[in-house]
């Protein structure tokens, strides 16, 4: 049917991606601490920043889904440059 949502959706996939990146980050930090490897620890930081990027993307998708009058007042600088950065 028209307008009916199927499956997990983009927000569900984004939340899943954030959760998996945080889990991967914790595993890499633990492995880096046990093995005293700076490379594995740095890769853990990379996974953490990927989770942050996904969170910002989800916020941008939420803002894009709102109507023009609901949250975003174009020209006032509220959301325009914040999410683009």
């Amino acid at each position: 049917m028209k307008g009916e949502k199927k499956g997990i959706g983009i927000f569900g996939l984004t939340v899943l991606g954030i959760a998996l990146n945080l889990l991967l980050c914790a595993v890499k930090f633990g492995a880096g601490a046990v093995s005293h490897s700076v490379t594995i620890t740095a890769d853990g930081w990379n996974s953490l920043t990927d989770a942050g990027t996904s969170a910002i993307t989800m916020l941008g998708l939420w803002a894009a889904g709102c109507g023009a009058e609901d949250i975003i007042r174009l020209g006032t600088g509220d959301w325009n440059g914040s999410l683009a950065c």
Side-chain angles (χ1 to χ4, degrees), residues 10-11 13-15 17-19 21-22 47-65 72 79-85:
I10 190 73
F11 288 107
L13 288 175
T14 306
V15 169
I18 291 170
N21 270 321
L22 291 175
S47 295
L48 185 64
T49 59
D50 285 345
T53 301
S54 295
I56 292 171
T57 300
M58 190 167 67
L59 181 64
L61 288 170
W62 171 78
I72 303 170
W79 288 89
N80 299 342
S82 308
L83 296 174
C85 291

Side-chain angles (χ1 to χ4, degrees), residues 22-49:
L22 291 175
L23 176 68
L24 192 60
C25 171
V27 169
K28 287 178 181 179
F29 278 150
V34 168
S35 65
H36 302 289
S37 173
V38 176
T39 305
I40 296 174
T41 305
D43 202 25
W45 283 110
N46 184 33
S47 295
L48 185 64
T49 59

